[in-house]
Amino acid sequence: MRNVIWILLLFVLAVVAAGVFGRNDAVVTLYWAPWRLDLSFNFFVLLLLLLCAGLYLALQTLHTLIGLPRRAREWRIARRDHYAQQALREALALYFGARYSRAHKAAQRALTIQGATPELRSDAEFITLARLLAAGSLHRLQDRAGRDELLRQALATPAAGGNGRAADEGVRLMAAEWALEDRDAERALELLAELPPGLARRTQALRLKLQAARLARQPLDALRTARLLAKHQGFSQVAAQGLLRSLAMEALDTARDADQLQRVWEQLDANDRRDAFVAARAATAMAGHGRVDQAWAMLQLFWDAPQGRSAEEWQALAEAFVRSLEGLGTDWLPRLEAATHAHPTRPELAYALGRALAQLQLWGKARQQLERCADDPALPAPQRRSAWRHLAEMAEQDEDLERARTCYRRAARIE
């Protein structure tokens, strides 16, 4: 299509030239006293075109001569920028190749070239990346003083544009990660607290905050951060559940008295309080502080709705309930019996019911439940030994010494 257009333009030009210059009967007269010059119109037009072309070439040549120093300076700057970029790429390759001493030297060479060229000093992104590579190399070489100085300089470099801002964010995240590797949780949390809101919500920042909170032994903050990570799918569902459970238990273990334990329990998320293992740990600790009524309140939800519990959960709940039997009232018996009837094959529930009946001095029913679970291999060994021991004590109360000795022997044989 372009060729067709050019052909049409040539035809138009030929027609115009034939119409204007075909007759050649016009004359152009130039007067310069005392001279006079007569020229044909066609020759005058040709001479005018040649004069314009010559003038244009002269101006272009003059412009080129005048611009030679500027072009030479631009060429030198381009060469320096090329060498600086080459040094930066070399530092990056050496860093990933675990040749940290050479990577540091290459990054420093890039910074030296950049600093020696005034026209390149405004490239904040290049300077930040080079300093980050140099600092990373010194971190691997255990030169913390040099690393911290380079980090300080990198953080002091103002970010310019999108890429410069991304490089600045990378410096802050790397500084927090290196503080964690130095086991300096306070410094890591300080750096993470200085992050902009958008950067602080990113997955990597949340991971670093989780590690820092755990290192600083702040389980509640770690738990909140882990829950955000789980919400953003930073973990698999199974890993998130296990991590949240362990952090909630760790938070409960930090309590030194019943009031502090209650405050930690109330600060937990509702999902954490509905976790059977977390509730069992909290109830056991609360009973250890002498607050059995609060321990029962923590466990009541699980006994009121006994469906959908695994064997491990029932073992933890039963053990926690048994540890808080002191002062138990008869209002708990319907819950225990309903759970036992709902899960007749679970020996943990029979054990908990038997211990509760023994606490209420209902010896006959207690003996029936404890005998039912004492020989069940699904019941953990400590609870089986406890069941035989309580059966022996009830036999001693009935003055059945032979049966008591038999129960004690059965308890002793359990490994």
Side-chain angles (χ1 to χ4, degrees):
M1 186 65 186
R2 183 180 299 177
N3 295 333
V4 173
I5 293 174
W6 277 111
I7 292 173
L8 291 176
L9 289 176
L10 287 175
F11 277 120
V12 171
L13 183 61
V15 170
V16 171
V20 176
F21 303 108
R23 297 173 58 185
N24 196 22
D25 53 359
V27 177
V28 176
T29 302
L30 300 178
Y31 294 94
W32 187 271
W35 297 285
R36 169 185 168 181
L37 180 63
D38 294 327
L39 300 172
S40 68
F41 180 74
N42 291 357
F43 182 72
F44 173 76
V45 171
L46 180 60
L47 187 62
L48 183 62
L49 290 175
L50 291 175
L51 181 62
C52 291
L55 182 61
Y56 175 78
L57 290 176
L59 291 175
Q60 283 292 104
T61 302
L62 182 62
H63 176 73
T64 301
L65 290 174
I66 294 175
L68 277 178
R70 177 183 55 82
R71 293 175 60 189
R73 185 175 65 257
E74 291 176 352
W75 179 84
R76 287 194 299 269
I77 294 172
R79 293 295 295 174
R80 285 180 173 270
D81 184 58
H82 171 74
Y83 290 139
Q85 297 288 346
Q86 185 179 12
L88 185 65
R89 290 193 299 269
E90 181 184 355
L92 186 63
L94 290 170
Y95 180 82
F96 286 126
R99 306 179 75 171
Y100 301 118
S101 180
R102 294 189 179 184
H104 174 256
K105 292 178 181 177
Q108 288 295 108
R109 186 167 66 253
L111 287 171
T112 302
I113 297 173
Q114 193 84 350
T117 310
E119 292 81 3
L120 301 179
R121 293 174 186 172
S122 60
D123 192 350
E125 179 191 1
F126 180 94
I127 297 173
T128 301
L129 290 176
R131 285 174 175 165
L132 183 60
L133 274 175
S137 302
L138 291 179
H139 173 73
R140 299 300 180 185
L141 295 171
Q142 301 298 315
D143 185 358
R144 292 182 174 83
R147 178 203 65 187
D148 292 341
E149 177 62 23
L150 285 170
L151 279 177
R152 185 190 62 78
Q153 295 175 5
L155 291 173
T157 303
N163 293 335
R165 187 162 50 251
D168 181 70
E169 293 172 352
V171 171
R172 297 181 183 276
L173 288 177
M174 290 302 298
E177 184 174 347
W178 292 337
L180 282 175
E181 292 183 9
D182 293 341
R183 311 296 293 176
D184 189 352
E186 183 179 354
R187 172 63 176 163
L189 289 173
E190 180 183 347
L191 288 169
L192 291 170
E194 296 174 357
L195 296 179
L199 178 59
R201 290 192 296 268
R202 295 178 189 172
T203 301
Q204 178 62 14
L206 291 175
R207 288 181 187 274
L208 294 175
K209 186 176 180 181
L210 173 61
Q211 296 176 27
R214 298 193 72 177
L215 184 61
R217 301 203 178 273
Q218 300 175 2
L220 285 176
D221 291 340
L223 182 60
R224 286 189 285 268
T225 305
R227 190 164 295 283
L228 281 176
L229 271 173
K231 182 180 178 181
H232 295 162
Q233 298 181 350
F235 306 109
S236 65
Q237 185 175 0
V238 176
Q241 182 180 7
L243 178 61
L244 293 173
R245 178 179 297 158
S246 64
L247 288 173
M249 291 182 178
E250 186 178 344
L252 293 170
D253 292 340
T254 59
R256 295 294 178 263
D257 53 42
D259 294 334
Q260 186 179 6
L261 180 61
Q262 184 64 29
R263 287 194 298 270
V264 172
W265 173 257
E266 292 173 354
Q267 290 177 18
L268 294 180
D269 189 79
N271 293 327
D272 297 325
R273 293 196 294 268
R274 287 194 293 268
D275 190 300
F277 295 100
V278 176
R281 179 69 67 91
T284 301
M286 190 65 76
H289 292 300
R291 302 281 186 86
V292 291
D293 52 342
Q294 295 178 354
W296 297 337
M298 295 173 179
L299 296 174
Q300 182 175 347
L301 169 67
F302 303 94
W303 295 97
D304 288 341
Q307 291 77 19
R309 308 289 174 197
S310 65
E312 293 78 9
E313 289 177 326
W314 278 124
Q315 290 175 6
L317 291 170
E319 183 62 25
F321 179 77
V322 168
R323 291 178 180 272
S324 57
L325 284 176
E326 184 178 355
L328 184 69
T330 57
D331 57 320
W332 267 86
L333 285 181
R335 297 190 184 96
L336 296 172
E337 291 174 349
T340 304
H341 292 156
H343 300 279
T345 60
R346 294 260 46 96
E348 302 86 5
L349 300 179
Y351 172 73
L353 178 58
R355 290 292 305 275
L357 291 169
Q359 177 69 25
L360 295 172
Q361 298 183 357
L362 300 175
W363 309 115
K365 292 183 178 181
R367 183 180 295 108
Q368 180 183 0
Q369 294 296 330
L370 291 176
E371 289 176 347
R372 171 186 165 190
C373 65
D375 281 329
D376 195 328
L379 189 67
Q383 296 178 356
R384 289 165 58 196
R385 281 194 296 269
S386 176
W388 282 117
R389 190 167 58 252
H390 281 82
L391 286 171
E393 292 174 357
M394 284 186 282
E396 289 177 345
Q397 291 177 359
D398 294 339
E399 297 183 355
D400 189 350
L401 301 181
E402 182 62 29
R403 177 169 177 77
R405 284 193 294 269
T406 301
C407 292
Y408 279 127
R409 283 196 298 267
R410 297 290 296 273
R413 290 173 182 171
I414 297 176
E415 298 180 355

